[in-house]
Amino acid sequence: MRKNIGLFKAKVAEYNSTLNLNEDDWVEGYIAKKKSKCTSPHAPVWFDEWFMCVPVRNESYEYFEDVEIKIETICECTGLEDNNGKLIWENDIVKVDNWQEKQTVYMHKWGRWTLTNYAYELGFLNPHLTCEVIGNKFDKENN
């Protein structure tokens, strides 16, 4: 069963004192973009600002905190879990049973999660595949 569809993670762009997040910490939530204006002496300049809406829970209520993120580190949740019950994300490095090489998860042009070793595609990620997340392409391997 796939769950957490529409969930993303990314690295924090700068220290967030409200949530006590350091730069390069991973944060999970929902992606949002807003237009911001920087006023120059000649004319206003508009630019896109990306952030993550992070769900925060306390004793009495839940709210969302906006956290600035590094857009190059955005990873979408596949909705699948590895052998240990850990969610599998886009750009994760996985070790598949009976395969010698480690694989990286990415979204195929046809909208399916695919495993690759960057030389060639090795197949689609599916719930019946036995694998373990061992890192991601931004932090490298944990082992």
Side-chain angles (χ1 to χ4, degrees), residues 65-111:
E65 179 73 29
D66 295 346
V67 176
E68 190 178 343
I69 57 171
K70 296 180 178 181
I71 60 172
E72 65 274 8
T73 66
I74 295 173
C75 302
E76 186 176 355
C77 183
T78 66
L80 300 172
E81 296 177 346
D82 72 358
N83 299 348
N84 303 317
K86 184 176 180 180
L87 283 173
I88 302 174
W89 298 84
E90 178 180 16
N91 297 312
D92 272 352
I93 299 171
V94 296
K95 175 72 174 121
V96 180
D97 285 356
N98 303 322
W99 293 10
Q100 291 185 352
E101 296 182 42
K102 298 170 183 99
Q103 313 307 317
T104 303
V105 178
Y106 81 102
M107 177 67 81
H108 190 274
K109 63 184 175 186
W110 296 328

Side-chain angles (χ1 to χ4, degrees), residues 25-99:
D25 283 350
W26 284 103
V27 65
E28 295 178 12
Y30 305 95
I31 300 291
K33 176 176 79 168
K34 66 181 176 182
K35 289 279 188 193
S36 295
K37 183 168 81 170
C38 175
T39 307
S40 74
H42 306 289
V45 177
W46 291 90
F47 62 95
D48 291 334
E49 212 175 356
W50 290 86
F51 58 95
M52 184 82 67
C53 297
V54 179
V56 179
R57 293 172 186 84
N58 67 20
E59 301 82 38
S60 55
Y61 61 93
E62 180 178 16
Y63 66 97
F64 287 92
E65 179 73 29
D66 295 346
V67 176
E68 190 178 343
I69 57 171
K70 296 180 178 181
I71 60 172
E72 65 274 8
T73 66
I74 295 173
C75 302
E76 186 176 355
C77 183
T78 66
L80 300 172
E81 296 177 346
D82 72 358
N83 299 348
N84 303 317
K86 184 176 180 180
L87 283 173
I88 302 174
W89 298 84
E90 178 180 16
N91 297 312
D92 272 352
I93 299 171
V94 296
K95 175 72 174 121
V96 180
D97 285 356
N98 303 322
W99 293 10

